[in-house]
Amino acid sequence: PPDSRRRRLMTLMCNEMPPTTGLLPGETVVREGKAAILFPSANEVFYNPVQEFNRDLTCAVVTEFAREQMARRGVKVVVPGEKERVVVNLADEKKEETEMQTGEEGGEEPVVTASVGERCKNGLRVLEGLAASGLRSVRFALEVPGLRSVTANDFSAKAAALIARNAQHNGVTHLLQASQRDARLMRGKKDRYDVIDLDPYGSPAPFLDAAVQAVGEGGLLCVTCTDMAVMAGNSGETCYSKYGSVSIKAKYCHEMALRIILHSLDQRAGVYQRYIHPLLCVSVDFYIRVFVRVHTGQAMVKNSASKQALVYNCVGCGSFHLQRLGKRTTQGNHVKYSAATGPPVGAECEHCGHRHQLGGPIWGEALHDVSFVQKVLSAVSGNPSRFGTARRIEGMLSMVTEELEDVPLYYTVDNLSSTVHCSTPPLLQFRSALLHAGHRVSLSHACKNALKTDAPPRVLWDVMRCWEKSNPVKRDRLSESSPAHHILNTEPILQACFDVREDANPQSRRRHLTRFQENPEPFWGPKARANAGGGGISSDLEDRRKQGQNKRKNQITDATQLKSFPCKRFRKGKCTHGEKCCYSHDLEQTDQME
């Protein structure tokens, strides 16, 4: 039919890489996925190429979310390069076959399809609240099927103008509209969005309240946090002011950051009788990324208190305990809510005698919906050419599916060994010892030496005591007040077995999947904030950025080379070394004469 042929031609046109025409002076073309973005050479609009993994993962998650939502509306999404849909549940597969056979026998119309680059009448409405150059929104329009509209918003006038140009440059003006509004004012019940993406420079805290109101019923909310110094314990008081939770410095800080942002989202949603359901939450490089669905229901909001927990962390040995804020008791069809009892620890740690830190509250439930993650994983692994970072997505999601869902936070083997000052046991042997003792154990995507286990801290220290007996430390050198002295002077109750078990090595590790990649490029990490006035990045900022790079690799060992650096004490008249000074006095004298 002519309409079908026209749709195929439009899809082919959208899949082709647009030409690099219409460039203004000083502009370059940034290519990522199927998008080609016009980008000014000056730092007027923010862009970080390292976060390609973030954008690829978002496209994969939004595609799977669109597949589920559009299937309920009688629309089948079509993804280029996807041969067939992998069905996770065989019961669902049989049900689909029965429905298709019934439809064919009844003479019903064929299923309506939605392809990438096409505007779907009953499709999803997507909002990117802080779009900058519009790269993510353009990729949505070119790579995610089943969309009705994509709104790319930014408060900067230069960014909004660049978004409009990029939409025209990529031929997606029929789907993508540029907007220049304050993202904190996007609340409203009338025109809610099916998908809202927030990827700000720094903290998303100012936008969360509006986001939980503007997303539709059962809609998808995607949030990125790059203020990891605050969320990882460097400024607990600042973390409380932004997210309503006190962060603490601990080895599990990256997972705790995920649980802090989930606590904040759930708390803000609860004000409007709404609650969240996490689909996927990951800690990647220098940021965290969460994908949650937002629902409405007064009865379900009452469960919120029992989902939050305080963290008691020992400053000596690192043992931690969780204390729920609320208690939920079910008796048949009746549900009773009451205050939780506690605390779960004494005034001093039972293992090392040190005090406890109090952190939180944090989200105490599962971080992921494993069934949804498996669907995303199946789609990505079945179509690896779709994303440039497909291998890392496959490795990351494989680890996520292996994590223990009901075990918050984790320990690290190297930290346990450092506490008792002994050699570090191999990861497989330590995992095997916990499995032999009848406990569950898994790795974590947030840290490569992490151990998530339901074993209590006393079991972990018993395993370390047994390991220390075969790898003894010099106990006479241990201080009587040290955690190692207290722990090692207690006889273990559990006799650990370190024979390696086959199930101690997870599938993601056996298959050598790309779980933790190396640094993707030199000087990678958070970029400088965009300068709305143009002019690029200041030279002072570039100098400070490069000052500490490779300082350990290229250390100066020859004292004569230091003569090229001025002596700071000489300028103040405090240098007493005279001719023996390793630094230059001539440079200082020249500067004073000038």
Side-chain angles (χ1 to χ4, degrees), residues 454-594:
D454 59 354
R458 61 173 181 80
V459 173
L460 297 176
W461 293 124
D462 277 351
V463 173
M464 290 305 303
R465 293 183 185 106
C466 294
W467 175 260
E468 189 271 340
K469 289 183 180 298
S470 57
N471 300 272
V473 300
K474 297 181 180 179
R475 301 195 181 189
D476 55 338
R477 295 186 178 182
L478 299 177
S479 171
E480 293 184 359
S481 60
S482 66
H485 182 271
H486 286 79
I487 293 172
L488 295 180
N489 282 346
T490 304
E491 286 298 318
I493 300 175
L494 169 71
Q495 297 301 320
C497 175
F498 292 98
D499 295 339
V500 177
R501 292 176 43 148
E502 185 177 356
D503 54 348
N505 197 13
Q507 285 293 331
S508 61
R509 199 167 180 267
R510 293 181 192 177
R511 296 167 57 191
H512 303 286
L513 298 178
T514 305
R515 302 174 299 164
F516 305 97
Q517 70 170 14
E518 297 180 357
N519 295 349
E521 62 179 23
F523 311 116
W524 75 287
K527 301 298 182 182
R529 184 186 294 272
N531 183 9
I537 303 175
S538 65
S539 58
D540 293 340
L541 181 60
E542 288 285 359
D543 294 340
R544 289 198 303 270
R545 177 183 295 174
K546 295 179 180 179
Q547 185 176 4
Q549 298 294 333
N550 298 323
K551 60 183 180 182
R552 295 183 179 180
K553 296 181 180 179
N554 302 322
Q555 294 184 2
I556 298 177
T557 56
D558 188 2
T560 59
Q561 298 182 22
L562 297 174
K563 281 293 184 180
S564 60
F565 295 93
C567 175
K568 295 181 180 179
R569 297 177 62 87
F570 179 79
R571 176 184 295 177
K572 299 178 182 179
K574 297 181 179 180
C575 182
T576 58
H577 296 284
E579 294 296 331
K580 297 181 179 180
C581 181
C582 296
Y583 297 92
S584 174
H585 291 174
D586 296 334
L587 292 176
E588 293 291 343
Q589 291 175 349
T590 303
D591 292 342
Q592 292 176 1
M593 292 175 61
E594 293 178 353

Side-chain angles (χ1 to χ4, degrees), residues 367-368 399-405 442-446 452:
L367 293 177
H368 322 286
M399 289 200 70
V400 165
T401 58
E402 296 169 350
E403 289 183 6
L404 295 178
E405 301 179 46
S442 75
L443 299 179
S444 172
H445 76 278
K452 293 177 72 71

Side-chain angles (χ1 to χ4, degrees), residues 29-266:
V29 176
V30 176
R31 300 184 183 276
E32 184 179 295
K34 294 183 179 179
I37 300 299
L38 306 177
F39 191 75
S41 57
N43 191 37
E44 297 177 356
V45 179
F46 184 77
Y47 167 70
N48 191 349
V50 176
Q51 290 209 24
E52 180 183 0
F53 174 82
N54 185 339
R55 292 181 282 268
D56 285 352
L57 181 62
T58 303
C59 287
V61 171
V62 174
T63 299
E64 196 55 44
F65 177 75
R67 194 193 307 273
E68 291 184 354
Q69 297 300 307
M70 299 309 294
R72 298 176 182 176
R73 305 176 189 182
V75 180
K76 180 182 179 182
V77 299
V78 179
V79 180
E82 212 172 61
K83 296 181 180 179
E84 59 181 6
R85 182 72 185 109
V86 179
V87 181
V88 178
N89 193 342
L90 295 178
D92 295 341
E93 185 179 11
K94 294 179 181 178
K95 184 177 179 181
E96 283 186 12
E97 292 178 357
T98 305
E99 291 177 353
M100 290 179 63
Q101 292 175 2
T102 306
E104 291 176 358
E105 293 173 0
E108 296 181 1
E109 295 181 0
V111 179
V112 180
T113 60
S115 301
V116 295
E118 295 182 0
R119 186 178 185 275
C120 183
K121 183 179 180 181
N122 298 323
L124 306 181
R125 298 179 66 240
V126 181
L127 168 66
E128 185 182 4
L130 305 143
S133 63
L135 170 58
R136 191 184 304 256
S137 294
V138 171
R139 291 195 59 183
F140 286 160
L142 291 174
E143 301 178 28
V144 179
L147 303 183
R148 181 174 29 158
S149 65
V150 179
T151 303
N153 177 77
D154 201 285
F155 193 64
S156 168
K158 291 187 177 181
L162 184 61
I163 292 169
R165 290 189 60 216
N166 282 324
Q168 184 176 5
H169 183 71
N170 287 268
V172 291
T173 52
H174 61 291
L175 270 176
L176 194 154
Q177 297 84 34
S179 171
Q180 185 187 353
R181 296 181 59 191
D182 191 343
R184 295 170 294 184
L185 305 177
M186 56 186 171
R187 60 180 66 88
K189 293 184 179 180
K190 294 183 179 180
D191 297 323
R192 283 178 167 173
Y193 294 89
D194 300 291
V195 180
I196 293 182
D197 190 295
L198 293 177
D199 189 356
Y201 184 92
S203 172
F207 313 102
L208 298 181
D209 192 82
V212 296
Q213 297 179 68
V215 68
E217 175 60 23
L220 180 64
L221 181 58
C222 319
V223 182
T224 300
C225 303
T226 56
D227 55 335
M228 291 302 295
V230 171
M231 304 187 76
N234 283 357
S235 303
E237 67 285 352
T238 305
C239 186
Y240 180 80
S241 66
K242 291 183 177 181
Y243 303 103
S245 179
V246 177
S247 59
I248 55 179
K249 284 187 177 181
K251 290 296 181 179
Y252 49 75
C253 61
H254 293 94
E255 182 177 329
M256 187 172 183
L258 288 172
R259 296 184 178 276
I260 287 175
I261 184 62
L262 290 179
H263 159 75
S264 183
L265 285 170
D266 189 66

